[in-house]
Amino acid sequence: MIGHVKTPWAVGVFEYRRKYSRWSPEQVAEARALESRKIFSGSQPVAFCESPGDAARIVACVNACAGISTDALEYMNGSLRSVDQMSVVEAQRDELLAALEACKCHLANSLHLVRVHVPEHHWLTQIATGLDEAKAAIAKAQGGAS
């Protein structure tokens, strides 16, 4: 398998030079439009695209995937879509973590009440176990030990 051209890639930018001073404004505009459809790695041309938008998207994708092997990208087979969902998942995690924190507080209060008022009740062990599990889950979600 042949490797791809070194990154970063860039979309071409037409640089107006003195030698173009005899060009008409239309010729300059056409040269700019053509250049914005070219993709470069340094000064080496890599590709020519149908539209400037395609060129910009290809460059963004290639640069974003720098350091990831082609085999790994092919293996992912579209799973990069999950990157778009990361903020949604993080928000859900934060909401669930807040709810778990509230449950932990309720369990701690319940454990205290059972210990004070009914110290021999069978719920004592269940509440204590639930409280320990909630604490462990919170610590794991926050990056602590499991």
Side-chain angles (χ1 to χ4, degrees), residues 76-93:
M76 287 182 207
N77 192 23
S79 65
L80 288 176
R81 274 182 256 134
S82 64
V83 172
D84 288 339
Q85 298 170 352
M86 187 60 75
S87 61
V88 172
V89 171
E90 288 173 347
Q92 288 174 337
R93 179 210 54 212

Side-chain angles (χ1 to χ4, degrees), residues 6-91:
K6 271 179 42 174
T7 54
W9 287 10
V11 174
V13 176
F14 178 77
E15 295 180 18
Y16 187 82
R17 297 191 179 109
R18 188 176 177 97
K19 68 180 181 178
Y20 305 122
S21 62
R22 295 179 192 222
W23 285 17
S24 70
E26 292 81 17
Q27 289 172 310
V28 171
E30 184 178 337
R32 280 195 174 109
L34 285 173
E35 197 68 17
S36 69
R37 293 166 48 193
K38 294 179 185 176
I39 297 175
F40 291 88
S41 173
S43 61
Q44 176 185 0
V46 176
F48 185 79
C49 298
E50 290 293 319
S51 73
D54 289 343
R57 186 170 180 86
I58 290 168
V59 166
C61 290
V62 168
N63 290 340
C65 294
I68 303 173
S69 72
T70 301
D71 290 338
L73 290 170
E74 289 172 346
Y75 178 77
M76 287 182 207
N77 192 23
S79 65
L80 288 176
R81 274 182 256 134
S82 64
V83 172
D84 288 339
Q85 298 170 352
M86 187 60 75
S87 61
V88 172
V89 171
E90 288 173 347

Side-chain angles (χ1 to χ4, degrees), residues 132-144:
D132 290 343
E133 289 173 354
K135 287 178 181 177
I138 291 167
K140 186 174 181 179
Q142 293 174 334

